[in-house]
Amino acid sequence: MSGKNPYVVPPKTKLPTKPYTIRLEGYEKPLVVDPAELPYAEPGLPGSLLATLLAKGIEIDHACGGVVACSTCHIVVKKGFGSCSEATDDEEDMLDEAPALTSQSRLACQCVPDGTEDIVVKIPEWNRNMVKEGH
Ligand code: FES
């Protein structure tokens, strides 16, 4: 499943204009995101961490297809949180359903970095089995 959820208002996002990196906690190689390759579209918002990670070969659960109707794409943005698009009320409502919520939790499908900071992401343990390093 993917597409758009007619019941949610998409957040304002800004795509990066310079390269930035995403480092996944527990994985050695950082992923370089080149703005020339963006936006990676669906599932999730264009340029979202979900779309970007999937495009880079990192499998991460996304049961609803990135339309803010589950919380399976829950991640924790440990660094670079301030460079990410703001969470909407719809995202926060859905995050409330996620286990082990933190103040830096986001739905990967709704979190769009603007590239002004490098990002460090923790994928929660219960989702780790779904993740494989494909690069
Ligand atoms: S994949 Fe369902 S909310 Fe992100």
Side-chain angles (χ1 to χ4, degrees):
M1 186 166 111
S2 66
K4 291 188 171 35
N5 183 338
Y7 302 105
V8 301
V9 178
K12 287 190 175 28
T13 61
K14 189 176 154 221
L15 293 174
T17 56
K18 66 179 188 69
Y20 73 97
T21 63
I22 303 172
R23 193 169 68 75
L24 297 175
E25 239 183 41
Y27 294 84
E28 280 184 25
K29 283 195 249 169
L31 305 165
V32 178
V33 181
D34 180 349
E37 298 171 359
L38 292 171
Y40 298 118
E42 295 187 0
L45 294 173
S48 67
L49 286 176
L50 178 64
T52 302
L53 289 173
L54 290 173
K56 297 282 184 189
I58 304 294
E59 293 293 326
I60 181 167
D61 198 10
H62 54 287
C64 76
V67 297
V68 204
C70 72
S71 58
T72 57
C73 67
H74 173 206
I75 55 168
V76 179
V77 180
K78 300 197 81 174
K79 280 192 184 158
F81 192 85
S83 69
C84 296
S85 56
E86 259 185 60
T88 62
D89 289 346
D90 292 314
E91 179 181 347
E92 287 181 359
D93 287 350
M94 205 49 68
L95 268 174
D96 284 343
E97 308 295 321
L101 197 62
T102 78
S103 61
Q104 294 169 303
S105 289
R106 293 296 306 265
L107 295 178
C109 66
Q110 301 300 300
C111 181
V112 180
D114 66 11
T116 56
E117 293 177 63
D118 291 331
I119 304 283
V120 176
V121 170
K122 177 182 181 182
I123 298 172
E125 280 177 27
W126 66 88
N127 205 354
R128 280 252 167 116
N129 291 339
M130 301 295 295
V131 177
K132 66 173 190 243
E133 201 163 10
H135 59 285

